[in-house]
Amino acid sequence: MTIHHHPILRADTSLLCWSEILRDSVLALTITLAGPHTLLAAPEGTVARGRLELATQTHASVAFQSLSQSRALFCLSDGTLLDVPTSTVVGWGRLPPWPQGPMVLLAGGGVLAGTIESLDAQTAVLQCGAFGRIELPARAVNGYRLSIAAGPVPRQVKGLDAETSNGLGQERLCQVQLLNGDRVAARQLSWTEQMLQLDGVQNLAAAVPIAARKGKPATSGSVQIPVGMVQAIDLPIVKSVQEKSTLRSVVALVDGSRFPVAAIDPIENPNARPPLAECVVLAADIRHKAVCDPSEIVAIAVDGGCAQALATLTPTAVMQTPSLAVPWLLAMGCTPTGDWLSARGVTAFDGLGLHGPARLSYRFVAPVDRFESLVAIDDSAGHKGSVIVRILARRKEGAMQEVFASPVLRGGDEPHFVQAELQQAIEIQLCIEAADRGDILDRTVWLDPRVIVSATASD
């Protein structure tokens, strides 16, 4: 397996201890954090920000080996294996950019860099660079993007109108966006031989001109469109069956793919060149086994153990109070303008987008110890927009208190790392305040915001 220069972030104590039994003797290794910390999504050259890290500052490298719901295995550059409970892992590795070319959207979250070979009501056949040709039930696929020019589908916020929050809510229709900007809605969609067949088309006038130019006559309510003219497809979202486990592991590949997995294990075949790993991809209620080169796995995040991703939670309150700008909705899983989560080239597994001034509140069943995120003004604001972000926290017995205040964050600035010690808080608030010139273009992006609970790892 190729050794990567990546950090592993855990949240138990400020020291990491493990033991290895060699020839009836115990070799105990202790690593102390040195210097400042970094976030999982931070670019190369910065330092990792977990309570606990294994990184280039303490070892030449740390390589990922395997992952399951119960255990995670990493390899140090000297060959030492680090076997830890998955629930204690915050993350490992560095996130790549989003896929620049075609990608398939998976039900239940995640994208695969690749394209659709065929799609009908029962089966989806995909061609992916990492996994090759894979066949899935159609319900495992939520959509398709020709490139990142079309953004993701924003997730709904509880209490908000579905039609307002994602534009697809009034009917469960297939939505197709064409390269010329036209949008077509249809009741049924199939993809075969580089042709898109739409039946039960709602706005036929938008599709007929393109179809006619390609020599495919349209009939009432039905049309064929060349796949090369399609920018984006959104399929009706099928309610997925949730995994029984409280842990959710997400991986990222070097090609920008990122998706939830149930397990990753090396394939025991010494003749395989390169070595291979079996990845159990989760999509809706589907568990699909796919094989890839393990060196393509470049980042991991674990949600639901000691770390809880805020972007997977419904806030208890959302207050957005514009003074000069119009009201904006909370964007979950995308930027405020509906684009892929990114700021100055830094991407995320998940995140939030919200125009300030605003305040988000979260309450937790169990007390939490730390909050961390990367925060920036959205790239769409250019060098305009300016905010101050504050974190407030309340313990079980006590009032809300400020635990973090940032400097002024301006458009064009690199993402600012926010880390706040919460000291067993049961409620927090993320606050965005206008800074220089009112609230014009105060579009904030929160990359991988999460709370962390200290836990003692046990082997």
Side-chain angles (χ1 to χ4, degrees):
M1 175 176 287
T2 302
I3 301 294
H4 301 284
H5 294 265
H6 292 316
I8 170 177
L9 309 184
R10 294 177 57 208
D12 39 19
T13 64
S14 59
L15 298 178
L16 175 64
C17 301
W18 73 93
S19 299
E20 180 183 357
I21 300 177
L22 294 173
R23 297 179 182 178
D24 300 324
S25 65
V26 176
L27 172 65
L29 304 177
T30 302
I31 297 175
T32 305
L33 285 179
H37 307 174
T38 96
L39 188 63
L40 175 66
E44 196 73 39
T46 55
V47 190
R49 287 205 183 246
R51 246 210 211 153
L52 213 140
E53 68 168 334
L54 284 177
T56 54
Q57 289 75 28
T58 52
H59 283 274
S61 57
V62 179
F64 165 74
Q65 293 277 28
S66 64
L67 181 74
S68 69
Q69 288 291 325
S70 58
R71 310 296 297 181
L73 186 66
F74 300 87
C75 181
L76 307 185
S77 60
D78 60 6
T80 304
L81 294 180
L82 176 61
D83 184 358
V84 296
T86 305
S87 61
T88 68
V89 176
V90 176
W92 165 87
R94 301 194 187 280
L95 281 164
W98 290 99
Q100 300 302 297
M103 69 181 99
V104 180
L105 280 59
L106 298 178
V111 299
L112 286 176
T115 190
I116 298 174
E117 181 179 296
S118 64
L119 173 68
D120 56 32
Q122 287 75 40
T123 306
V125 179
L126 314 180
Q127 282 287 352
C128 305
F131 299 125
R133 187 177 186 270
I134 61 176
E135 184 174 315
L136 298 169
R139 67 179 184 275
V141 174
N142 267 358
Y144 165 81
R145 297 292 185 268
L146 179 64
S147 70
I148 58 173
V153 179
R155 296 195 299 275
Q156 290 179 222
V157 180
K158 187 176 181 181
L160 296 180
D161 181 78
E163 183 177 355
T164 303
S165 62
N166 64 18
L168 310 175
Q170 72 274 28
E171 286 190 73
R172 297 177 66 83
L173 299 175
C174 305
Q175 306 280 334
V176 179
Q177 179 183 339
L178 305 179
L179 284 175
N180 67 352
D182 286 340
R183 294 179 180 271
V184 184
R187 296 187 182 281
Q188 292 184 342
L189 175 152
S190 62
W191 176 319
T192 55
E193 297 181 355
Q194 296 302 303
M195 193 67 66
L196 207 62
Q197 172 73 37
L198 303 178
D199 297 311
V201 176
Q202 303 298 295
N203 47 339
L204 190 60
V208 167
I210 289 181
R213 288 200 300 270
K214 296 296 179 179
K216 299 292 182 180
T219 59
S220 178
S222 179
V223 69
Q224 286 186 322
I225 301 175
V227 168
M229 302 301 294
V230 175
Q231 174 66 58
I233 298 173
D234 289 298
L235 302 175
I237 297 175
V238 179
K239 186 176 181 181
S240 62
V241 178
Q242 298 296 320
E243 286 285 302
K244 293 182 179 180
S245 172
T246 57
L247 283 182
R248 179 176 182 266
S249 300
V250 190
V251 304
L253 306 184
V254 69
D255 62 9
S257 301
R258 56 204 78 189
F259 45 85
V261 297
I264 305 174
D265 289 301
I267 295 177
E268 299 297 334
N269 183 354
N271 298 321
R273 292 291 181 271
L276 298 176
E278 183 177 77
C279 183
V280 183
V281 181
L282 298 178
D285 56 342
I286 308 301
R287 299 168 67 96
H288 178 79
K289 293 183 179 180
V291 175
C292 71
D293 181 345
S295 67
E296 296 194 8
I297 302 172
V298 294
I300 295 171
V302 178
D303 180 27
C306 63
Q308 180 71 67
L310 294 191
T312 64
L313 304 177
T314 299
T316 53
V318 181
M319 295 164 282
Q320 207 261 339
T321 54
S323 56
L324 299 176
V326 297
W328 289 64
L329 298 177
L330 171 63
M332 301 177 70
C334 64
T335 69
T337 54
D339 295 317
W340 297 93
L341 286 164
S342 179
R344 263 62 82 206
V346 179
T347 64
F349 281 110
D350 213 336
L352 304 169
L354 187 59
H355 198 298
R359 181 170 301 202
L360 298 178
S361 298
Y362 294 89
R363 290 183 188 146
F364 307 101
V365 176
V368 293
D369 290 331
R370 189 169 83 254
F371 169 84
E372 59 185 32
S373 178
L374 284 176
V375 184
I377 298 292
D378 185 22
D379 289 344
S380 66
H383 288 274
K384 298 181 180 179
S386 59
V387 300
I388 295 173
V389 299
R390 301 181 190 277
I391 310 299
L392 308 181
R394 182 176 68 85
R395 299 183 190 177
K396 188 173 183 180
E397 304 292 338
M400 195 70 72
Q401 295 182 337
E402 181 178 297
V403 293
F404 177 88
S406 75
V408 176
L409 311 180
R410 297 182 172 87
D413 290 350
E414 291 299 310
H416 184 78
F417 182 73
V418 174
Q419 185 178 51
E421 297 299 328
L422 303 178
Q423 299 179 344
Q424 296 285 291
I426 61 170
E427 181 179 3
I428 65 170
Q429 291 183 352
L430 315 185
C431 304
I432 308 167
E433 298 178 0
D436 294 341
R437 299 180 179 178
D439 61 357
I440 298 299
L441 296 177
D442 285 356
R443 306 168 183 171
T444 62
V445 180
W446 300 71
L447 302 177
D448 286 322
R450 59 195 175 199
V451 291
I452 295 174
V453 180
S454 292
T456 302
S458 59
D459 289 338

